[in-house]
Amino acid sequence: TRVDIHSAPEIGASLRSAVAHILINRHGAAIQPGTRSYSRSWIRDGAMTSGALMRLGHEDAARAFLDWFLPFQFDSGKVPCCADARGADPVPENDSHGELIHLIAELYRFDHDLDALRRRWPAVRAAIAYMDTLRASERGERNQRAERAAYYGLLPPSISHEGYSDRPAYAYWDNLWGLLGYKDAVFVAEQLGLHDEASRVREARDGYRKDLYASLQAAMRQHGIDYLPGAADRGDFDATSTTIALTPGGETVALPSQALRATFERYWQHFVARREGRSDSKLYTPYEWRVVGSLLRLGWVDRAQQALAFFMADRRPAAWNQWAEVVVHDPRTPHFIGDMPHGWVASDFIRSALDMLAYERESDQSLVLAAGVSAKWRAGEGVTVQALRTPWGRLSYQLRAQGERRAILQVEAGLDIPPGG
């Protein structure tokens, strides 16, 4: 990597390997999750993987992917779910639009290239216009009936989630990405000084957020559940998808706190049962790495550390620092693995591992340092972070224990202080 991190030795080594796996999996500029089962490029994988790469100093790879993918956007403003040498896939997956907008905004936060942002604004504006149309299609009289109230104002059903391939669903994964797309479009317009555009999108964003939060409440009532569902029409439990609300969605504080905590408490009970062999579930996908960052944001640091240790134990083989898309905790059990190493899984690991060291908190625009650093990591030479990229510049610090009850944190100069400190 272009960032130097010394913490638990296996974490630093696995971060370096994960970046290498992501870059090796690319087809030219096209970021793809694998080279066999998944030798195509999804904007979903590409946006999240680019976010991980930028934090480790690879803005160039993120920029190349974005500029390669942008021409595949349809004239309508629709963003395709995936593309390859044959062109764009027309299948609607309604997370795509928000993901493209987020990638454009996130790259600007790291490279501060205003001219490039201006060139990309038409793509943002077109994607917002397309989402406006999609939302309008679900705000009609049909969805004003009580039994369909949970669907009002959402993006239409899609199959962006593989678990919904049997029939399209009103996935909150899509809609949380949609909300982030509106939020980031406001940010982009403001950075470009497009005040009228920013005002218009801000109004649409606020209306969308109102409809989305009303939908969550209606869906929980309709299905008789106390957790945040994966889809409005299914009332399913899917904490790995719900993570997107916390990061990069930034909605941790705004979400109904009781339901949010119930969601990840339920996840934790399932996790412990699986770890202890009390669960019928033998397989899992290491996309669950995302949950580590969510546990951290909820203040459950010990649980985040336990989950990190569990997932690290499922590298195959351990010295190669890689994960398959599908994992069985018993390495001798034969099963489908997808691609290995899997690039999107690698990016989920990178983002959660880096969150342990530093993460952005949108609610007060602050940078939270070392929230996930355990006493074990602080021991001895401690934790050293050198040149970790953030929207406020490069972060370098050292944290080490001094005795049993004290620790010393030294933050180097060179970082702009975030608005919230």
Side-chain angles (χ1 to χ4, degrees):
T1 76
R2 296 169 184 172
V3 175
D4 192 15
I5 293 171
H6 298 281
S7 53
E10 61 180 2
I11 300 297
S14 293
L15 283 168
R16 291 189 291 275
S17 298
V19 171
H21 295 151
I22 289 169
L23 297 177
I24 289 168
N25 277 349
R26 290 187 302 168
H27 186 77
I31 292 172
Q32 55 187 34
T35 57
R36 297 176 296 277
S37 298
Y38 297 98
S39 57
R40 305 190 74 191
S41 291
W42 279 259
I43 184 60
R44 173 170 54 250
D45 305 48
M48 298 184 76
T49 303
S50 292
L53 290 173
M54 284 187 274
R55 293 171 72 179
L56 292 175
H58 290 273
E59 296 96 335
D60 52 345
R63 184 182 304 111
F65 170 73
L66 174 59
D67 288 339
W68 172 81
F69 196 91
L70 271 174
F72 292 111
Q73 186 177 20
F74 295 101
D75 292 341
S76 63
K78 174 183 175 180
V79 178
C81 61
C82 55
D84 57 23
R86 296 169 295 177
D89 193 325
V91 174
E93 296 188 9
N94 288 325
D95 56 340
S96 302
H97 327 296
E99 287 155 357
L100 179 67
I101 297 169
H102 174 65
L103 176 53
I104 290 170
E106 195 75 346
L107 179 57
Y108 174 74
R109 291 186 181 102
F110 281 85
D111 73 5
H112 307 293
D113 188 338
L114 194 63
D115 289 337
L117 187 68
R118 187 172 289 109
R119 290 195 303 272
R120 295 167 186 145
W121 166 250
V124 174
R125 183 175 55 201
I128 287 293
Y130 187 74
M131 283 204 296
D132 287 343
T133 302
L134 293 179
R135 286 187 57 235
S137 71
E138 298 292 335
R139 301 186 90 236
E141 185 177 342
R142 182 177 70 130
N143 286 343
Q144 294 181 23
R145 300 196 299 267
E147 68 274 15
R148 293 185 60 85
Y151 316 147
Y152 182 81
L154 297 184
L155 299 173
S158 89
I159 56 168
S160 63
H161 186 310
E162 287 184 354
Y164 303 151
S165 58
D166 59 329
R167 61 179 171 86
Y170 286 96
Y172 287 116
W173 172 272
D174 291 357
N175 286 279
L176 289 161
W177 274 112
L179 178 58
L180 182 55
Y182 276 104
K183 289 162 64 173
D184 278 339
V186 172
F187 168 78
V188 171
E190 288 174 341
Q191 296 302 305
L192 295 173
L194 303 173
H195 303 299
D196 290 344
E197 294 273 16
S199 178
R200 184 189 66 77
V201 179
R202 189 180 298 110
E203 183 178 355
R205 175 202 66 190
D206 292 346
Y208 185 30
R209 177 185 269 118
K210 181 180 177 181
D211 289 345
L212 175 56
Y213 276 75
S215 169
L216 283 168
Q217 295 290 355
M220 287 190 288
R221 287 194 304 270
Q222 177 182 332
H223 297 288
I225 56 178
D226 64 352
Y227 54 83
L228 300 171
D233 49 334
R234 299 195 181 208
D236 53 330
F237 175 71
D238 188 3
T240 309
S241 289
T242 304
T243 57
I244 213 68
L246 284 68
T247 178
E251 295 292 300
T252 308
V253 173
L255 288 163
S257 59
Q258 190 171 348
L260 174 62
R261 298 182 81 82
T263 301
F264 288 98
E265 181 62 43
R266 184 183 177 96
Y267 169 83
W268 184 251
Q269 298 309 319
H270 289 185
F271 173 87
V272 171
R274 182 177 62 202
R275 183 178 63 184
E276 296 178 353
R278 295 184 287 104
S279 171
D280 292 336
S281 175
K282 304 300 182 186
L283 302 173
Y284 76 94
T285 61
Y287 299 128
E288 286 188 35
W289 263 113
R290 278 180 242 143
V291 179
V292 173
S294 297
L295 296 173
L296 193 65
R297 284 166 173 77
L298 291 171
W300 298 345
V301 179
D302 182 62
R303 289 180 174 184
Q305 278 282 350
Q306 290 183 54
L308 180 143
F310 178 87
F311 297 136
M312 289 297 289
D314 280 341
R315 291 168 295 164
R316 298 285 188 268
W320 290 19
N321 299 326
Q322 65 181 7
W323 291 268
E325 184 191 22
V326 182
V327 167
V328 177
H329 203 49
D330 176 4
R332 305 304 298 170
T333 302
H335 63 94
F336 171 78
I337 64 169
D339 269 304
M340 184 170 72
H342 194 277
W344 189 12
V345 169
S347 79
D348 283 332
F349 157 68
I350 290 171
R351 289 183 300 109
S352 278
L354 293 181
D355 283 352
M356 306 291 268
L357 304 171
Y359 71 86
E360 301 164 50
R361 189 166 61 200
E362 183 176 317
S363 60
D364 61 356
Q365 293 187 284
S366 66
L367 186 63
V368 181
L369 303 185
V373 174
S374 66
K376 181 180 178 181
W377 289 12
R378 293 194 298 269
E381 295 183 2
V383 174
T384 299
V385 174
Q386 196 68 38
L388 178 63
R389 273 51 164 192
T390 80
W392 300 284
R394 299 187 180 193
L395 169 67
S396 299
Y397 72 76
Q398 184 177 50
L399 177 65
R400 65 186 185 279
Q402 189 176 74
E404 293 184 4
R405 299 173 60 86
R406 194 163 182 241
I408 303 296
L409 174 67
Q410 294 176 304
V411 182
E412 293 183 15
L415 184 75
D416 293 334
I417 301 300

